[in-house]
Amino acid sequence: MAQRFVMAIDQGTTSTRCIVFDSNARLVSVAQREHRRYSPRPGWVEQDAVEIWRNVDRIMPQALRDAGIGADQVVALGITNQRETFVVWDRHTGAPVGRAIVWEDIRTEELVAEMASRPGADEVRDRCGLPLATYFSAPSLRWLLDDVPDLRDRAERGDVLFGTMDTWLIWNLTGGVNGGLHVTDVTNASRTMLMNIMTQQWDPELLSFFDIPRRMLPEIRPTTEIHGRTTRVVPGIEIAAALGDQHAALFGQTCFAEGETKCTYGTGSFLLMNTGTKLIRSEHGLLTTIGYQLGGEPVTYALEGSIAVTGSLVQWFRDNLGLIHSAPEIETLARTVKDNGGCYIVPAFSGLFAPHWHSEARGLIVGLTSYITKGHLARAVLEATAWQTREVVDAMNADLGERAGVLRVDGGMTADHLLMQIIADVLDVSVMRPMVAETVSLGAAYAAGLAVGYWPDLAGLRRNWHLAARWTPQMDPRHRDEEYANWKRAVELTFGWATPRHTVDSGQF
């Protein structure tokens, strides 16, 4: 009998990848294509959903060719995606009404500020687990419905469809205008601000508050479920899982037990803790979200700390300032100095996410003197990621009343050993990286394989997790406290820079 495999599509913020895994969770092949990012106005971030679909059309066959296998050897396909990013398209033609609006986009600042003062605003977080912020899909969808002529009428007639990127890809893969499935999973739906976090269904009160027509929304399904078969690109493969990228990383890191925590370091960074069947409402600026849902079982909840800018700060350092030629060079440059020289960079390019939720904050570099070199700036870039992680971990510890002893990490930035050591130092905990770095894609593959019985149970998935590297704290406690105090002073200086000033009071958590 021919060997069997699982395929994953990872539709990320900067690129889309298709990866084939074997039963030992080994990467067999990977095909990847980047897509363009558009910023037509300050604060606007868009992508071309058609370009992303065309990339999928290219990379799925390429991944099969590179693996030397046929579609009949793929038992299941799992899809994971950048969350909150969405597209609206015509049901009859398949054409988007405009570019996809990306999770980093902050065009709805004024709308969010106005919504925060409306009757019923206080109930939004209770229903969906999320604070009113530009980050999530609903405000941008409302903006789009108001901005595009006749779009609301078309939505109310059911002529246009809304979807996060998982929905867009599944609809196209299963036929598009010829019977494509309009579905999403609970993790992606939980990031729209339109799903009730307790019932896992579209919430009538939230739809009314944001004025979103129900007919344009997809059906919400569990994370692991056979949604259908592909009829396009590579026909005949069962789509057996869909989940947001950070939830996929939680799954790929095998954080299946209550209290287990991971942080993915990519464009932004996202720390999730499995809270089991307990729905914990944060009082310290974290998000209550869905971890995953296995078939018809009860959902597994999670607490999340979302950091908007980490890897993208390194890209800014490279592309906008030109101080390095490639992202890995930042570690070499940062190692030319022993510390930051008193310089701190707070990368509030799109405001500040967890635990502050200041949409009006803007980035700054503070502590500049004639002593500062580009090496100090490189060090400050890396430390910005570490201190932002510390803020989220502190909030999580405060919510739970206990301190996590280890942090599992993944994502492209974990290749930077200096950064990982700095994170261990500022957190004062061990940092562990698994052998398989592609945990987002692996999590999608795990979920799909579990749905079809390729892997029998969660315990079997745990056995595939192997330690690649560990970093332990080495920083003097007094120095850690002094540096953290300086960081917090720098963060406070970013508040209130842009207008309108809209903040999420920590009392709402």
Side-chain angles (χ1 to χ4, degrees):
M1 184 176 178
Q3 188 177 359
R4 302 292 183 177
F5 303 87
V6 175
M7 177 180 280
I9 293 175
D10 177 3
Q11 200 296 293
T13 303
T14 59
S15 69
T16 305
R17 291 182 290 182
C18 183
I19 300 182
V20 176
F21 292 95
D22 67 14
S23 58
N24 293 314
R26 289 187 295 237
L27 190 152
V28 178
S29 71
V30 56
Q32 179 174 357
R33 292 185 73 93
E34 294 186 353
H35 49 261
R36 289 187 62 188
R37 167 193 173 109
Y38 301 87
S39 296
R41 300 184 188 180
W44 290 32
V45 186
E46 301 174 344
Q47 293 167 357
D48 184 346
V50 173
E51 179 189 5
I52 290 171
W53 164 240
R54 287 173 179 163
N55 286 346
V56 170
D57 187 39
R58 294 180 177 97
I59 62 177
M60 285 184 70
Q62 182 184 338
L64 290 176
R65 287 194 303 270
D66 292 349
I69 64 174
D72 59 338
Q73 292 177 260
V74 178
V75 298
L77 168 65
I79 296 176
T80 183
N81 56 286
Q82 54 173 321
R83 305 172 303 169
E84 296 92 25
T85 299
F86 72 89
V87 61
V88 174
W89 69 97
D90 190 293
R91 168 197 298 275
H92 310 291
T93 67
V97 302
R99 294 188 187 127
I101 298 180
V102 181
W103 59 272
E104 299 164 294
D105 190 287
I106 57 172
R107 73 184 66 186
T108 57
E109 274 189 306
E110 292 186 8
L111 176 61
V112 167
E114 186 269 322
M115 283 182 166
S117 63
R118 290 183 187 175
D122 293 341
E123 298 178 15
V124 170
R125 188 237 168 204
D126 289 338
R127 291 180 176 274
C128 68
L130 309 173
L132 266 172
T134 60
Y135 176 29
F136 307 107
S137 308
S140 295
L141 177 56
R142 168 61 188 275
W143 178 92
L144 195 68
L145 289 167
D146 291 345
D147 186 69
V148 177
D150 301 322
L151 184 60
R152 179 172 296 280
D153 289 341
R154 294 165 67 191
E156 290 173 347
R157 292 195 304 266
D159 290 333
V160 294
L161 304 176
F162 160 88
T164 44
M165 301 313 290
D166 60 314
T167 301
W168 168 246
L169 294 183
I170 292 172
W171 186 82
N172 278 290
L173 285 168
T174 56
V177 295
N178 297 311
L181 295 171
H182 189 217
V183 299
T184 190
D185 94 297
V186 289
T187 66
N188 279 297
S190 73
R191 312 298 295 190
T192 63
M193 299 195 80
L194 300 174
M195 188 193 83
N196 187 297
I197 194 77
M198 292 170 286
T199 66
Q200 295 91 57
Q201 298 296 324
W202 301 122
D203 187 288
E205 295 298 324
L206 293 173
L207 295 180
S208 175
F209 180 83
F210 290 104
D211 198 11
I212 306 297
R214 172 66 182 84
R215 293 190 67 183
M216 72 186 308
L217 302 180
E219 176 189 349
I220 301 174
R221 293 186 176 183
T223 299
T224 60
E225 178 175 292
I226 298 175
H227 300 299
R229 286 181 177 270
T230 59
T231 62
R232 304 170 71 186
V233 186
V234 181
I237 299 177
E238 287 187 326
I239 303 174
L243 63 170
D245 53 6
Q246 302 312 317
H247 314 266
L250 188 74
F251 214 81
Q253 285 275 27
T254 67
C255 293
F256 303 135
E258 186 177 326
E260 291 183 328
T261 307
K262 71 87 197 175
C263 191
T264 300
Y265 291 95
T267 304
S269 293
F270 303 88
L271 193 146
L272 269 73
M273 173 183 283
N274 183 325
T275 62
T277 56
K278 299 177 183 175
L279 191 157
I280 297 177
R281 298 193 182 278
S282 176
E283 296 180 358
H284 299 89
L286 302 181
L287 308 177
T288 302
T289 192
I290 304 290
Y292 52 83
Q293 183 182 23
L294 303 179
E297 296 181 11
V299 298
T300 294
Y301 288 102
L303 270 181
E304 175 176 340
S306 307
I307 305 169
V309 178
T310 53
S312 56
L313 179 59
V314 177
Q315 294 172 338
W316 173 81
F317 195 75
R318 178 194 66 194
D319 300 337
N320 293 42
L321 299 189
L323 294 175
I324 53 176
H325 298 292
S326 66
E329 288 180 29
I330 195 161
E331 179 177 6
T332 304
L333 183 57
R335 287 186 182 276
T336 63
V337 295
K338 64 180 181 179
D339 56 34
N340 62 19
C343 177
Y344 302 85
I345 299 177
V346 184
F349 294 163
S350 303
L352 288 172
F353 287 6
H356 305 288
W357 299 106
H358 278 258
S359 65
E360 89 298 339
R362 289 296 179 269
L364 61 76
I365 302 175
V366 67
L368 287 177
T369 65
S370 59
Y371 171 72
I372 297 300
T373 68
K374 61 182 180 180
H376 294 109
L377 292 174
R379 182 94 183 193
V381 165
L382 298 184
E383 290 182 357
T385 291
W387 290 122
Q388 288 181 100
T389 304
R390 168 69 185 269
E391 290 180 314
V392 169
V393 169
D394 281 0
M396 198 162 282
N397 291 341
D399 276 332
L400 299 175
E402 57 186 61
R403 187 171 178 271
V406 66
L407 179 66
R408 295 188 179 193
V409 297
D410 55 80
M413 295 185 79
T414 62
D416 189 321
H417 289 232
L418 176 59
L419 172 61
M420 293 300 103
Q421 182 59 56
I422 294 172
I423 290 171
D425 286 340
V426 304
L427 295 185
D428 195 26
V429 301
S430 293
V431 172
M432 301 194 308
R433 187 182 68 200
M435 195 72 71
V436 178
E438 304 290 347
T439 53
V440 172
S441 301
L442 181 59
Y446 274 166
L450 202 64
V452 299
Y454 183 70
W455 286 292
D457 51 34
L458 298 180
L461 301 182
R462 278 190 182 278
R463 288 191 289 272
N464 288 333
W465 197 97
H466 301 287
L467 180 67
R470 181 195 295 266
W471 294 267
T472 56
Q474 298 175 4
M475 183 179 284
D476 175 75
R478 178 178 295 180
H479 181 59
R480 179 189 303 119
D481 292 344
E482 290 172 351
E483 287 296 296
Y484 192 28
N486 289 339
W487 167 261
K488 289 192 285 189
R489 286 171 57 211
V491 169
E492 289 176 0
L493 293 173
T494 70
F495 297 166
W497 185 263
T499 54
R501 177 164 185 159
H502 169 62
T503 66
V504 177
D505 190 337
S506 60
Q508 295 183 33
F509 286 89

